[in-house]
Amino acid sequence: MLRKGITESFGAAIHALNTTQLTDGVINRSKRMMLDTLGVGLLGTRTAVFNKALKYSQSFTSDERSSVWGKSQITLPPHYAAFVNGIAVHSMDFDDTWHPATHPSGAVLPALLALTESLPSRPSGLDLLLAFNVGIEVQGRLMRFSSEAYNIPERFHPPSVVGVMGSAAASAKLLGLSPAQCSHALAIAASSAGAPLANTATQTKPLHIGNAARRGLEAAQLAQMGLEGNPAILDMDCGFGVYYRDYSPSAMPDSTSSDFKWILEDQDVAFKRIPAHLGMHWVVDAALAARAKLENTVGNFDLSQIRQITLRVPPSKYINCPLPATEHQARHSFQFNACSALLDNKVTVSSYSEAQINRPALKELLSKVKVETPEMNLPSFDKMYCEVEVETDQGQSFLARCDTFYGHWRKPLSQQDLVEKFSSHASTVLCTEGVEGVIDVIGNMERVRDSSALGSYLRMTSCQYE
């Protein structure tokens, strides 16, 4: 028997994977990912970047229409619905994060829900779960082609690289494409991959997720129409290998074998408690602990007491922003997040508003920050730590360290906290019936006959919102 090429093995697996292979662990983890993605996506429909993308997308029309989350009266062509809903998911940098580093769900779920509404035969909840997990699995496999991918990225924003491939794979699965068509969908998607990190901390970064969802869906639809790409796109250094310095691809295991195991079974995702880059969660937890130590000794937190704040963090250029001027810069600033936690004893959605960013007290604290990057503090979301040391004019020092924040895959959010996060965000957009309906459909997804029911709940807006 001839050995399959790497791209061919991926196409075969995307086609062959079936619902009987979904384990209870994978189903439960992917349902948590779906619920969290919808919650942050609904909250993201209130952002400026979402509304700009929506206005742009409304200039396009087609016979097929799909829902825009949180908008009862607006529909768009499916690939533009995937685009704007994907942007909403990442508009506040609030979506889930995997390891090696990427945001796995935001590139896949918006594409699938948009496609679901446009298909003549509506997929079941189990079909949706399978396609979602195929999209997640492909991303996980591709990221393991490079040791560089295990670190905080330096060149490309990861979901712009693997996310579009996951979207293409998931969409190809839902469309029922042949093994060869699935391979071509990946090849087509690869020509829409890659976005530079220079656009992080700007309004363009959320477009990376929106584009991944949209372009992956388009790639699968084009492959369905017979468009072809390089059938060895994953095998070649000049193919998908251009995105990594140390590309070392390997074939997808035979999905029909009893030895096949989903990556999600072993590697859980991180869910964020604050709308900021994942690295910020370590520094926030350490800053809150340092403040608690100071208050337990001194009795209160007085800004005038502070002489210096030292942050010991891993080296990373794009999340080292000493004086952020915008919400997007603030979401990528170790300094801002540490000082916000110290000043307010909390960090919330509103912490990143213009008014909060421009407070004189916050700017005074920022002027006292020194950043150190210890050699042993590796730039990896699996190995990094953050220390915050607060020194007072009286010579006292209060040090706290965070090795694993609550919400990390090693310390996952409880189901109750995950549902509360969704409810608090979704309820700012949806009515009570909509919020409860989404929770119910996601919670019973493997038993839902028509997954498009989810879209009806995502359109049940509250009177105050629309």
Side-chain angles (χ1 to χ4, degrees):
M1 180 184 291
L2 290 175
R3 185 179 178 183
K4 287 189 178 76
I6 292 166
T7 312
E8 186 183 4
S9 74
F10 271 70
I14 293 167
H15 172 78
L17 282 164
N18 63 76
T19 56
T20 64
Q21 293 170 279
L22 292 172
T23 65
D24 290 343
V26 165
I27 288 173
N28 289 333
R29 282 183 172 176
S30 55
K31 289 195 300 187
R32 282 164 58 87
M33 294 163 73
M34 287 180 171
L35 188 67
D36 189 68
T37 300
L38 293 174
V40 299
L42 286 164
L43 187 66
T45 62
R46 308 186 107 183
T47 60
V49 60
F50 168 83
N51 283 295
K52 289 173 183 176
L54 178 60
K55 183 177 180 180
Y56 162 76
S57 298
Q58 285 179 282
S59 64
F60 298 92
T61 60
S62 74
D63 292 336
E64 294 179 340
R65 311 291 289 182
S66 296
S67 299
V68 177
W69 303 349
K71 301 291 181 182
S72 61
Q73 304 298 323
I74 300 177
T75 58
L76 292 172
H79 51 286
Y80 279 103
F83 176 62
V84 299
N85 291 333
I87 288 171
V89 169
H90 197 59
S91 61
M92 302 171 75
D93 221 311
F94 216 170
D95 43 329
D96 58 20
T97 306
W98 214 12
H99 181 72
T102 195
H103 303 284
S105 301
V108 173
L109 189 59
L112 289 178
L113 293 188
L115 181 57
T116 293
E117 292 186 90
S118 69
L119 293 174
S121 177
R122 300 300 169 85
S124 69
L126 203 54
D127 292 331
L128 184 66
L129 279 170
L130 176 62
F132 179 81
N133 277 288
V134 166
I136 300 303
E137 183 72 14
V138 165
Q139 293 180 73
R141 298 284 175 182
L142 294 178
M143 287 188 293
R144 282 158 176 76
F145 289 0
S146 163
S147 60
E148 177 186 352
Y150 283 78
N151 298 325
I152 294 175
E154 295 180 4
R155 297 189 299 153
F156 298 102
H157 189 209
S160 76
V161 176
V162 297
V164 67
M165 309 296 279
S167 172
S171 300
K173 185 63 183 176
L174 206 58
L175 287 168
L177 301 192
S178 70
Q181 287 174 320
C182 291
S183 295
H184 287 304
L186 294 177
I188 298 164
S191 281
S192 293
L197 278 175
N199 268 328
T200 57
T202 74
Q203 283 190 331
T204 296
K205 188 187 180 194
L207 269 65
H208 299 173
I209 298 284
N211 282 330
R214 169 192 170 188
R215 296 299 188 186
L217 172 55
E218 288 179 341
Q221 291 174 322
L222 287 167
Q224 185 182 40
M225 295 175 68
L227 189 72
E228 297 181 350
N230 191 315
I233 197 72
L234 302 181
D235 304 64
M236 307 166 69
D237 286 340
C238 63
F240 196 70
V242 299
Y243 299 109
Y244 300 103
R245 298 187 184 98
D246 58 347
Y247 192 63
S248 180
S250 57
M252 174 81 89
D254 182 0
S255 62
T256 62
S257 166
S258 59
D259 294 332
F260 178 83
K261 190 174 186 180
W262 302 91
I263 288 177
L264 189 59
E265 192 82 63
D266 291 326
Q267 180 59 65
D268 203 354
V269 301
F271 297 111
K272 297 180 177 181
R273 291 177 293 124
I274 57 172
H277 182 277
L278 193 73
M280 305 304 111
H281 291 64
W282 277 271
V283 79
V284 165
D285 280 10
L288 292 172
R291 175 182 164 127
K293 288 183 177 181
L294 185 153
E295 288 185 311
N296 287 339
T297 302
V298 178
N300 69 313
F301 183 86
D302 185 347
L303 188 63
S304 64
Q305 301 170 352
I306 308 301
R307 182 178 67 82
Q308 181 171 283
I309 301 164
T310 303
L311 311 181
R312 298 183 182 96
V313 297
S316 177
K317 294 178 181 178
Y318 84 101
I319 49 177
N320 178 9
C321 186
L323 297 170
T326 69
E327 62 168 299
H328 298 284
Q329 291 176 354
R331 299 183 200 282
H332 296 77
S333 168
F334 278 126
Q335 297 90 332
F336 174 86
N337 285 275
C339 289
S340 290
L342 288 171
L343 186 60
D344 302 325
N345 204 22
K346 62 182 179 180
V347 178
T348 66
V349 170
S350 62
S351 298
Y352 302 92
S353 67
E354 184 178 353
Q356 294 293 92
I357 291 170
N358 291 322
R359 289 178 293 169
L362 181 63
K363 291 186 175 182
E364 183 180 345
L365 264 189
L366 285 169
S367 70
K368 300 178 180 182
V369 174
K370 179 177 74 170
V371 173
E372 296 178 355
T373 54
E375 187 176 333
M376 297 303 292
N377 196 354
L378 302 177
S380 165
F381 292 135
D382 207 37
K383 299 176 181 178
M384 64 176 279
Y385 67 87
C386 284
E387 284 184 353
V388 175
E389 184 174 10
V390 179
E391 299 173 67
T392 69
D393 286 330
Q394 290 74 38
Q396 296 169 300
S397 176
F398 304 92
L399 174 68
R401 172 169 166 151
C402 177
D403 294 293
T404 305
F405 66 86
Y406 180 47
H408 191 277
W409 46 84
R410 290 193 300 266
K411 197 175 181 180
L413 289 184
S414 68
Q415 184 64 17
Q416 180 180 345
D417 285 347
L418 187 79
V419 172
E420 285 182 0
K421 177 188 172 184
F422 168 82
S423 298
S424 66
H425 297 153
S427 62
T428 65
V429 178
L430 302 182
C431 65
T432 301
E433 183 181 356
V435 173
E436 293 176 350
V438 172
I439 293 172
D440 181 63
V441 171
I442 295 294
N444 295 284
M445 184 58 76
E446 66 270 41
R447 294 178 286 276
V448 171
R449 291 186 178 181
D450 182 355
S451 59
S452 65
L454 193 56
S456 63
Y457 288 117
L458 291 169
R459 293 191 299 271
M460 290 186 180
T461 54
S462 60
C463 297
Q464 295 87 346
Y465 180 60
E466 284 205 311

